[in-house]
Coordinates of all heavy atoms in Angstrom, one line a residue:
V9 N 112.3 89.6 114.7 CA 112.4 91.0 114.2 C 111.0 91.6 114.3 O 110.8 92.8 114.9 CB 112.9 91.1 112.8 CG1 112.8 92.6 112.3 CG2 114.3 90.6 112.7
S10 N 110.0 90.9 113.9 CA 108.6 91.4 114.0 C 108.1 91.7 115.4 O 107.5 92.7 115.7 CB 107.7 90.4 113.3 OG 106.3 90.9 113.4
L11 N 108.5 90.8 116.3 CA 108.1 90.9 117.7 C 108.8 92.1 118.4 O 108.1 92.9 119.1 CB 108.5 89.7 118.5 CG 108.3 89.7 120.0 CD1 106.8 89.8 120.3 CD2 108.9 88.4 120.7
V12 N 110.1 92.3 118.1 CA 110.8 93.5 118.6 C 110.2 94.8 118.1 O 109.9 95.8 118.9 CB 112.3 93.4 118.3 CG1 113.0 94.7 118.7 CG2 113.0 92.2 118.9
I13 N 110.0 94.9 116.8 CA 109.4 96.1 116.2 C 108.1 96.4 116.8 O 107.7 97.5 117.1 CB 109.4 96.0 114.7 CG1 110.8 95.9 114.1 CG2 108.6 97.2 114.1 CD1 110.9 95.7 112.6
N14 N 107.2 95.3 116.8 CA 105.9 95.5 117.4 C 105.8 96.0 118.8 O 105.0 96.8 119.1 CB 105.1 94.2 117.2 CG 103.6 94.3 117.5 OD1 103.3 94.1 118.7 ND2 102.8 94.7 116.6
K15 N 106.7 95.4 119.6 CA 106.7 95.7 121.0 C 107.2 97.1 121.3 O 106.7 97.9 122.1 CB 107.5 94.7 121.8 CG 106.9 93.3 121.9 CD 105.6 93.4 122.6 CE 105.1 91.9 122.8 NZ 103.8 91.9 123.5
I16 N 108.2 97.6 120.5 CA 108.8 98.8 120.7 C 108.0 100.0 120.0 O 107.8 101.0 120.6 CB 110.3 98.9 120.2 CG1 111.1 97.9 121.0 CG2 110.9 100.3 120.3 CD1 112.6 97.8 120.5
F17 N 107.6 99.7 118.8 CA 107.0 100.8 118.0 C 105.5 100.6 117.8 O 104.8 101.6 117.6 CB 107.7 100.9 116.7 CG 109.2 101.2 116.7 CD1 110.1 100.3 116.6 CD2 109.6 102.5 117.1 CE1 111.5 100.5 116.7 CE2 111.0 102.8 117.1 CZ 111.9 101.8 117.0
G18 N 105.0 99.4 117.7 CA 103.6 99.1 117.4 C 103.4 99.1 115.9 O 104.4 99.2 115.1
H19 N 102.2 99.0 115.5 CA 101.9 98.9 114.0 C 101.6 100.3 113.4 O 101.2 101.2 114.1 CB 100.6 98.1 113.9 CG 100.1 97.9 112.5 ND1 101.1 97.6 111.4 CD2 98.9 98.0 111.8 CE1 100.4 97.5 110.3 NE2 99.1 97.8 110.5
R20 N 102.1 100.4 112.2 CA 102.0 101.6 111.4 C 102.7 102.9 112.1 O 102.0 103.9 112.3 CB 100.5 101.9 111.1 CG 99.9 100.9 110.1 CD 98.7 101.5 109.4 NE 98.1 100.5 108.5 CZ 97.1 100.8 107.7 NH1 96.7 102.0 107.5 NH2 96.7 99.8 106.9
T21 N 103.9 102.6 112.5 CA 104.7 103.7 113.0 C 106.0 103.8 112.1 O 105.9 104.3 111.0 CB 105.0 103.5 114.5 OG1 105.6 102.2 114.7 CG2 103.8 103.6 115.3
I22 N 107.0 103.3 112.7 CA 108.4 103.4 112.0 C 108.3 102.6 110.6 O 109.0 103.1 109.7 CB 109.5 102.9 112.9 CG1 110.8 103.3 112.3 CG2 109.4 101.4 113.1 CD1 112.0 103.1 113.2
C23 N 107.6 101.6 110.6 CA 107.6 100.8 109.3 C 106.7 101.3 108.3 O 106.7 100.8 107.1 CB 107.2 99.3 109.6 SG 108.5 98.4 110.5
H24 N 105.9 102.3 108.6 CA 105.0 102.9 107.6 C 105.3 104.4 107.5 O 104.4 105.2 107.1 CB 103.6 102.7 108.1 CG 103.1 101.3 107.8 ND1 103.4 100.3 108.6 CD2 102.2 100.8 106.9 CE1 102.9 99.2 108.2 NE2 102.1 99.5 107.1
A25 N 106.5 104.8 107.8 CA 106.9 106.2 107.8 C 107.7 106.6 106.6 O 108.9 106.1 106.5 CB 107.7 106.6 109.1
P26 N 107.1 107.3 105.7 CA 107.9 107.7 104.4 C 109.2 108.4 104.7 O 110.2 108.1 104.0 CB 106.9 108.7 103.7 CG 105.6 108.3 104.3 CD 105.8 107.9 105.7
L27 N 109.3 109.3 105.7 CA 110.5 110.0 106.0 C 111.6 109.0 106.4 O 112.8 109.3 106.0 CB 110.3 111.0 107.0 CG 109.4 112.2 106.6 CD1 109.3 113.2 107.8 CD2 109.9 112.9 105.4
M28 N 111.3 108.0 107.1 CA 112.3 107.0 107.6 C 112.9 106.3 106.4 O 114.1 106.1 106.3 CB 111.7 106.0 108.6 CG 111.2 106.7 109.9 SD 112.5 107.5 110.8 CE 113.6 106.2 111.2
Y29 N 112.0 105.9 105.4 CA 112.5 105.2 104.3 C 113.4 106.0 103.4 O 114.4 105.6 102.8 CB 111.3 104.6 103.4 CG 110.6 103.4 104.1 CD1 109.4 103.5 104.6 CD2 111.3 102.2 104.1 CE1 108.8 102.4 105.2 CE2 110.7 101.1 104.8 CZ 109.5 101.2 105.3 OH 108.9 100.1 105.9
V30 N 113.0 107.3 103.3 CA 113.8 108.2 102.5 C 115.2 108.4 103.1 O 116.2 108.4 102.4 CB 113.1 109.6 102.4 CG1 114.0 110.6 101.7 CG2 111.8 109.5 101.5
F31 N 115.2 108.5 104.4 CA 116.5 108.7 105.2 C 117.4 107.4 104.9 O 118.5 107.5 104.6 CB 116.2 108.8 106.6 CG 117.5 108.9 107.4 CD1 118.2 110.1 107.4 CD2 117.8 107.9 108.3 CE1 119.4 110.2 108.2 CE2 119.0 108.0 109.1 CZ 119.8 109.2 109.1
I32 N 116.8 106.2 105.0 CA 117.5 105.0 104.9 C 118.0 104.9 103.4 O 119.1 104.4 103.2 CB 116.6 103.8 105.2 CG1 116.3 103.8 106.7 CG2 117.3 102.5 104.8 CD1 115.3 102.7 107.2
Y33 N 117.2 105.4 102.5 CA 117.5 105.3 101.1 C 118.8 106.1 100.8 O 119.7 105.6 100.1 CB 116.4 105.8 100.2 CG 116.6 105.9 98.7 CD1 116.4 104.7 98.0 CD2 117.0 107.0 98.1 CE1 116.6 104.7 96.6 CE2 117.3 107.0 96.7 CZ 117.1 105.8 96.0 OH 117.3 105.9 94.6
H34 N 118.9 107.3 101.3 CA 120.0 108.1 101.2 C 121.3 107.4 101.7 O 122.4 107.5 101.2 CB 119.9 109.5 101.8 CG 119.0 110.3 100.8 ND1 119.6 111.0 99.8 CD2 117.7 110.6 100.8 CE1 118.6 111.7 99.2 NE2 117.5 111.5 99.8
I35 N 121.2 106.8 102.9 CA 122.3 106.1 103.5 C 122.8 104.9 102.6 O 124.0 104.7 102.4 CB 121.9 105.6 104.9 CG1 121.7 106.7 105.8 CG2 123.1 104.7 105.4 CD1 121.2 106.3 107.2
I36 N 121.8 104.2 102.1 CA 122.2 103.0 101.2 C 122.8 103.5 100.0 O 123.8 102.9 99.5 CB 120.8 102.2 100.9 CG1 120.3 101.5 102.2 CG2 121.2 101.2 99.8 CD1 119.0 100.8 101.9
R37 N 122.3 104.5 99.4 CA 122.9 104.9 98.1 C 124.3 105.6 98.2 O 124.9 105.7 97.2 CB 121.9 105.9 97.4 CG 120.7 105.4 97.0 CD 120.8 104.2 96.0 NE 121.5 104.7 94.7 CZ 120.8 105.0 93.6 NH1 119.5 105.0 93.6 NH2 121.5 105.3 92.5
L38 N 124.7 105.8 99.4 CA 126.1 106.4 99.6 C 127.1 105.2 99.6 O 128.3 105.5 99.5 CB 126.1 107.1 100.9 CG 125.5 108.6 100.9 CD1 125.6 109.2 102.3 CD2 126.2 109.4 99.9

């Protein structure tokens, strides 16, 4: 998982994006 994320997105992109976590949070809570 780490390799795929790192190769596609790099460090401090999608995994450090507040808006992405908020979006996922709303999906989970539904």
Side-chain angles (χ1 to χ4, degrees):
V9 175
S10 178
L11 179 63
V12 171
I13 294 175
N14 184 271
K15 291 296 183 181
I16 296 176
F17 300 102
H19 179 44
R20 291 204 183 186
T21 53
I22 192 171
C23 291
H24 287 72
L27 293 180
M28 297 300 296
Y29 285 111
V30 171
F31 179 72
I32 294 172
Y33 179 83
H34 280 278
I35 294 177
I36 292 175
R37 291 303 295 267
L38 285 177

